[in-house]
Amino acid sequence: MNFLRNMLVFLYVYVLLLLSLSVSAKPATFQQDFKVTWADTHIRPVEGGRAIQLKLDQSSGCGFASKYKYLYGRVSMKIKLVPGDSAGTVTAFYMNSDTDTIRDELDFEFLGNRTGQPYTVQTNVFAHGKGDREQRVNLWFDPSADYHTYTILWNHKHTVFYVDEVPIRVYKNNEAKGIPYPKSQPMGVFSTLWEADDWATRGGLEKIDWSKAPFYAYYRDFEIDGCPVPGPMTCASNLRNWWEGAAYQELTPMQARLYRWVRQNHMVYDYCNDKSRFPVPPPECSAGIY
C-alpha cells in the first residue's frame, strides 16, 4: 500500500515537473558530433540511422566519444539498456577530461543484472583527480524495454544527474569549503559497453553468462549544449549561458521532492554512509545534498 501511494505521488509530481520544464538544448548527430573510439566493428547505425547499436561479445566491447570537449553545459542521450540476463555488463555514459594525472569525470554506469532483478545505475564524480564518490540507485522501471533519457547538467553552482528529468544526484560546488569541484578542465562525452564481471553485479558474485551473448545497448537523440573547446575563450565564464540561469542554480521545489523520493526509496548505496571505506565521512557529505 505504501509503495502504491509513493508511486502515485511520484507520478503526480513528475507530470507537474514535465509541464514546468523549458530546456533549450542543441540536437547532435552521431555522424557529425561523435566518433568511434573502440571496436568499430561492434557499433552500427540502426532504426534507419536514427539510433546506434553497441555490441559486446567475447571478442570485444566498444565505445564512442564526442569530437569536441566542453566546459560546462548540458549533455543528454536516450539509451535502451541490455535486456534479459545482463549480469557482468556495464553500459556507460560519462564526461571525462581525458587527462592522465588530474582527471575530472562525471559518470553514469548502468550495471547489468540477472533476469528479473532491478537495474542499478552508479554515478561517480572525479574532481581534480579524486574520485571514489559512488552512489547507486535501483531504477524504478525496466530500462531495457524502451529508451529513457539520461542527462548531466554541469554549471558553476552544481552538477546534477537526471533520469527522465528526475534528479538522482546533486554534487554541489563547495570549493569555498575546500572541496574539489570540476571547473577548469573541458570534458568530452563518452559511451561504452564492456564486460566488468569482477565487480559490476553484486560486487562480482554474479558472472557474465557468455551463452547469452552478444549483448546490445542502443543510443539515440543525442543533445549537447555547452562551451566547446576549442572555442570562444569567454564562453565558459559567461554567466548568461542558459545553463547558468536562475532556474538551474538549484533544484525547483518539485525537483527537490522527486530527489528525496529517489533517495528514500531507490538509493541502495551512498559512499557517504560507507564507514568501512570512510570512517570519517568525506567533507562534501556534511555539506548537504542540495
Side-chain angles (χ1 to χ4, degrees), residues 8-240:
L8 289 173
V9 170
F10 166 79
L11 290 172
Y12 172 74
V13 176
Y14 180 55
V15 169
L16 290 178
L17 173 66
L18 291 180
L19 291 174
S20 69
L21 286 174
S22 179
V23 174
S24 172
K26 295 179 180 177
T29 64
F30 187 84
Q31 290 78 10
Q32 292 181 351
D33 298 281
F34 293 90
K35 60 185 178 182
V36 176
T37 56
W38 173 29
D40 57 0
T41 59
H42 284 52
I43 296 179
R44 69 183 184 96
V46 293
E47 300 177 18
R50 295 187 303 274
I52 299 298
Q53 179 195 76
L54 276 63
K55 181 173 74 171
L56 167 66
D57 58 23
Q58 282 186 281
S59 68
S60 182
C62 58
F64 63 88
S66 60
K67 294 179 180 178
Y68 288 92
K69 291 184 177 182
Y70 301 87
L71 188 55
Y72 298 116
R74 179 183 181 274
V75 178
S76 74
M77 56 184 70
K78 291 184 179 179
I79 307 174
K80 183 162 63 173
L81 297 177
V82 176
D85 188 344
S86 58
T89 69
V90 174
T91 307
F93 158 43
Y94 59 102
M95 299 186 72
N96 190 317
S97 62
D98 201 21
T99 46
D100 293 332
T101 53
I102 304 177
R103 173 170 49 131
D104 289 340
E105 185 170 316
L106 308 169
D107 290 343
F108 273 113
E109 292 179 311
F110 303 93
L111 311 182
N113 63 348
R114 288 291 180 221
T115 302
Q117 297 301 311
Y119 238 107
T120 300
V121 55
Q122 174 172 283
T123 59
N124 200 357
V125 175
F126 286 77
H128 302 188
K130 178 68 173 67
D132 298 327
R133 297 183 174 96
E134 300 92 346
Q135 292 182 355
R136 293 184 179 183
V137 168
N138 281 345
L139 294 173
W140 50 94
F141 53 86
D142 180 358
S144 67
D146 203 352
Y147 288 95
H148 291 267
T149 304
Y150 304 94
T151 303
I152 298 171
L153 173 73
W154 173 33
N155 62 28
H156 285 81
K157 186 67 177 292
H158 59 190
T159 298
V160 187
F161 296 80
Y162 297 91
V163 174
D164 289 335
E165 302 301 340
V166 175
I168 67 165
R169 181 167 190 176
V170 178
Y171 185 80
K172 296 192 301 182
N173 184 346
N174 279 304
E175 280 205 318
K177 299 179 180 179
I179 299 168
Y181 186 78
K183 67 171 187 177
S184 58
Q185 295 193 102
M187 291 191 269
V189 182
F190 296 80
S191 284
T192 54
L193 174 59
W194 51 293
E195 176 262 322
D197 70 359
D198 57 333
W199 66 272
T201 307
R202 294 184 60 215
L205 294 176
E206 302 282 0
K207 301 300 183 182
I208 197 166
D209 183 354
W210 288 114
S211 70
K212 303 294 195 301
F215 303 98
Y216 297 104
Y218 300 85
Y219 291 71
R220 74 179 190 193
D221 296 351
F222 307 95
E223 291 186 349
I224 301 176
D225 205 356
C227 294
V229 178
M233 296 290 291
T234 59
C235 179
S237 60
N238 184 359
L239 298 183
R240 294 183 180 179

